[in-house]
Amino acid sequence: MKKRETDGSVLKEPNVKYQTSQTTLSEYLRKKRSFIYRTLGDRLFSYFIFALGFIVILTTIVMAIVLYKDGAEAIKRYGFFGFLFGRVWDPAMKIEFGAFPFIVGTLITSIGSLAISFVPALAVAIFTAEYSPRWLAHIIDNLTNLIAAIPSVIIGLWGIFVFAPWMRDTFYMNIYMWILDNNPSFAPIFGNPIGYGIATATIILAIMIVPYTTVLTVDAFKKVPKEQREAAYALGATKWEVVKMAVIPYARGGILAGVMLSFGRAIGETMAVAMLIGNKNNLPFSIIGPASTMPSVIVNEFREAVENIHLSSLIAVGFYLFIISLVVNLIAAYIQRKFSLTGARTV
Amino acid sequence: MIEMSRISKVNNVNITNTEKITPPKDLSLRLESKKLSVMYGSSYGVKDISIPIYDKKVTALIGPSGCGKTTFLRALNRMHDLTQNARVKGSVLLNGKDIYAPKVDPVVIRRKLGMVFQKPTPFPTMSIYDNVIAGLKLVGIKNKLILDEVVEKSLRHAALWEEVKDRLKTPGGSLSGGQQQRLSIARALAVEPDVLLMDEPTSSLDPQSTTRIEELIHKLKKTVTIIIVTHNMQQAARVSDYTAFFYLGGLIEFNTTSKMFTVPDNKRTEDYLTGKFG
Amino acid sequence: MKTLKRRYLHEKIMITFIAFNTVAVLTPLIIILVYVFVQGIGAINLDFFTQELGSPSRAMTGRPTGLVHTIIGTLVVDALAILIALPFGIGAGVMLSEYPDHKLNPVMRVMNDTLNGMPAVLKGLLAWALVVKPMGGFSGLSGGVALAVVMLPIIARSTESALMNIPWSIREAGLAIGLPRWRVIASVVIPASKAGLVTGVLIAFARAVGEAAPLLFTSFGNNYKSSYLLGWTFGPVDTLPQRLYSLAISPYPEWHQLGWAAGIVLLFFVIVSFAIARIVVREKY
């Protein structure tokens, strides 16, 4: 009864409202609109939206142009490949620049961290998507999402004051002593046990990208149709057999794309790596000794660069970083498209 | 394929919801549900269903959508164990033994009751060959000779062999919808189940493929017991020997198909079959 | 033949392995959160929220120091970033969702994801080249531009998915009563997806507020409050992540503790915006 009354008043109101301007509701709706409102409005609005949206495309293009233009001095002086494969980076004495040490450092740390983190990330994803009860999955899901959002500097801070000293005292020192006692010729390859270096940075990087890979893998698992799982169960499969037989194969495209995106993340990860890698600009690197990556050298030297060629070289490093990131992201996009997934989640 | 000793002979079948159907003497009971209920939380999906399933016969489950026929079917191979808030009461006797008895492992049960789903479910990344042997691989059968033989036999049973024998290594996802469904059937048959459960197996297929599946069901019942859920009454009439009519989560009538479609015992069955509701 | 017993043994081993990994992954991250809190809580006091940092001697001689200028700076720079990124991000999201037939849409979706995947340090270089260089100095504005580029693809994506959540029938209902398409989008679709839009901005904020790399050479950092109001925009400005970095690599133990405290505040920003975003989403859907 009460509902009816409100229904009536809703119907009544517009009539009252528009009668004051001498039109009923139906007349109001049938009223002929101005040309601008009907046709031009749509067109102008769409142009306006396209113009705003186009900034996304423009930003990426401008980024490429700017990085190339500001890095041109270095690229021209040393050559495109000369700079890429130049093994010396010496801003102080010889004033000579080559990006190769940083490319090596970036590839080692990111591939290493991916290798460390892939299986655990897959395990967490399997646990949340297939094994854990819903409430626990919910908690872990929120936790991984939150952890993926922890700022890089905070992890770097912890790394500097807690993790690196701990690694040094617990592992590096002991292994180093053992090597000195047993096989001293191996010591330079292992590196000095100062705590800050490739190994520490790689492990920290792995800790940082695990939640990211996990979130993307869980997304891929969620897209596996219920029927696929049930079909496997109906054949008499145990839970793990279902995961192995139906879930992982079906989600492999999404997992692969997730790995690619995580790789892109690892390549570009800056602050924690810059704080922990020890910043050594020249090859050769050792296993636990200091090194540098492309982002870390930009962050460490950009503020102090005085020479034009130094600044230009740093931006050129950024340009190469741009190209690598672009390629990695495009591959990820291609994989996602090929396996017809609906796209990356913005974590 | 079937161990005769496991089959319990039917002497007196107790059908609660239906009246006086006397099974012929030569029929044996393969599967039987006794007062089977499935609950979601506190509401019933189906309630107190008792049906006998005869060996090497086709039993059709019909009724309007939402009547619980699929819910019942899924209770027969313990698929509800996978749904978090679903509970099953009552018992299902497979060859005389309750599959819901404590200590009975659903993994074992599901091997004995193969299942075919509404949508074809080949594993898209596996080849046709691997799809068929997926169930055998689980128990670790690796002998190539055995596997080859099983693949050919199952695909022949599923009337798919002639179409795919030259491309067994191509992915299962590359087949047409009807072929995919027959591949799913072959996969279910490969583990030699006692019973084949089919959940609206033709609802996503074109008429031609549907006909082929129906022909297939006719052939298959020589070797395996089949329970088929269908929303299509003509299909039930064409393929089944026995029919169970479900309505609002309850069993209204269980009868031989010929009797059900000519002189049903129950008024509501007649109303449904003549299109007065549903 | 594999016996059932063996298969279940395998199952048990896998469960153990998976559970072990899950614990192994979550533990260090929880340790980090606990560490930041325990180490930093001692430096959280009234001074922390009311005083400037000043020179290192100020902390070493025990005079009151704090990061009030850093917190204000963070809010200013991130607010600028949201102001800059919001129209473009929403525009891009509307384009992706409402004009799915547009030729450029596939390109745009890929470009948006690519931009999102670009290292933040490059976004800093972009802002440095576009704003700092022409203006001749580091500024809060350039930091805002850098973070806006960080936020832009996130807002675009979440706007798209928020709009996609609105069923097509609602748009058709609007068109059916004679509203032109732009009115349907502007006064039906966008208002209906308000919660989703808010979520997108919050997630973008949570992500951008922790970025230090692009700010090091845009807003640069500042040990003091800006002496004039516009200085927050046109002069060098302190921000939490960049300050945290400087404090962490400084040689002064007093500053290290301030760094941990800055970590608490930064985490507070991230977690709160993240939590609100989650709650908004849950209430809505």
Side-chain angles (χ1 to χ4, degrees), chain A residues 89 91 97 102 153 160 196 201 269-281 290-306 310-311 314-315 317, chain C residues 121 125 212-217 220 242 245-246 248-250:
Chain A
W89 180 276
F97 299 96
F102 312 120
V153 268
I160 284 189
Y196 304 98
E269 190 49 66
T270 310
M271 296 316 292
V273 175
M275 290 159 95
L276 290 168
I277 200 161
N279 306 314
K280 177 186 179 225
N281 288 346
S292 266
T293 64
M294 302 168 89
S296 82
V297 74
I298 298 175
V299 160
N300 279 316
E301 296 188 2
F302 200 86
R303 281 153 65 114
E304 276 96 49
V306 277
H310 189 191
L311 210 55
L314 287 169
I315 296 175
V317 169
Chain C
V121 66
L125 286 181
L215 297 178
L216 290 172
F217 28 85
F220 196 75
Q242 153 267 320
Y245 171 68
S246 312
I249 61 169
S250 76

Side-chain angles (χ1 to χ4, degrees), chain C:
Chain C
M1 280 293 275
K2 271 190 223 164
T3 58
L4 202 61
K5 221 171 150 187
R6 237 183 88 190
R7 288 170 66 197
Y8 274 114
L9 181 69
H10 197 73
E11 172 86 18
K12 276 210 186 88
I13 293 171
M14 284 323 292
I15 293 178
T16 317
F17 178 74
I18 286 167
F20 171 78
N21 269 294
T22 308
V23 174
V25 163
L26 297 179
T27 312
L29 293 148
I30 291 166
I31 290 178
I32 293 174
L33 293 179
V34 172
Y35 245 101
V36 172
F37 189 77
V38 171
Q39 297 278 331
I41 197 73
I44 299 266
N45 48 36
L46 193 62
D47 283 346
F48 183 84
F49 293 106
T50 51
Q51 301 289 324
E52 300 167 314
L53 180 66
S55 64
S57 66
R58 193 161 157 176
M60 285 158 80
T61 53
R63 274 179 288 157
T65 57
L67 294 178
V68 62
H69 63 297
T70 314
I71 295 169
I72 298 174
T74 306
L75 295 175
V76 169
V77 170
D78 279 86
L80 284 172
I82 291 176
L83 283 181
I84 298 167
L86 202 57
F88 301 113
I90 289 186
V94 170
M95 183 171 164
L96 284 173
S97 132
E98 303 301 311
Y99 298 92
D101 305 330
H102 195 277
K103 273 198 303 266
L104 275 175
N105 256 357
V107 180
M108 194 156 125
R109 194 166 278 123
V110 171
M111 286 300 232
N112 193 59
D113 286 353
T114 308
L115 188 61
N116 191 34
M118 278 293 159
V121 66
L122 297 183
K123 295 165 188 173
L125 286 181
L126 178 70
W128 176 84
L130 292 185
V131 186
V132 176
K133 237 179 21 163
M135 282 176 60
F138 301 107
S139 62
L141 179 65
S142 61
V145 170
L147 292 190
V149 181
V150 173
M151 291 177 172
L152 175 63
I154 303 175
I155 295 180
R157 259 294 189 197
S158 48
T159 301
E160 186 201 355
S161 59
L163 298 185
M164 294 279 225
N165 273 334
I166 307 298
W168 273 107
S169 55
I170 288 190
R171 295 176 177 82
E172 279 160 5
L175 293 172
I177 61 165
L179 290 176
R181 198 165 167 188
W182 71 273
R183 277 304 303 251
V184 173
I185 296 170
S187 32
V188 179
V189 180
I190 292 180
S193 52
K194 238 183 313 183
L197 299 182
V198 172
T199 308
V201 172
L202 284 168
I203 289 175
F205 171 76
R207 170 87 174 273
V209 75
E211 290 286 3
L215 297 178
L216 290 172
F217 28 85
T218 49
S219 62
F220 196 75
N222 193 339
N223 286 15
Y224 301 92
K225 274 190 271 193
S226 192
S227 50
Y228 58 109
L229 196 61
L230 280 178
W232 291 106
T233 318
F234 296 108
V237 174
D238 225 24
T239 50
L240 275 167
Q242 153 267 320
R243 174 52 57 194
L244 204 166
Y245 171 68
S246 312
L247 293 173
I249 61 169
S250 76
Y252 319 110
E254 291 83 0
W255 276 20
H256 295 164
Q257 216 202 352
L258 272 183
W260 290 103
I264 294 185
V265 179
L266 189 51
L267 273 178
F268 175 81
F269 278 133
V270 173
I271 292 175
V272 165
S273 48
F274 204 81
I276 296 176
R278 286 256 145 169
I279 292 165
V280 168
V281 169
R282 194 163 322 142
E283 270 177 9
K284 181 76 188 169
Y285 307 110

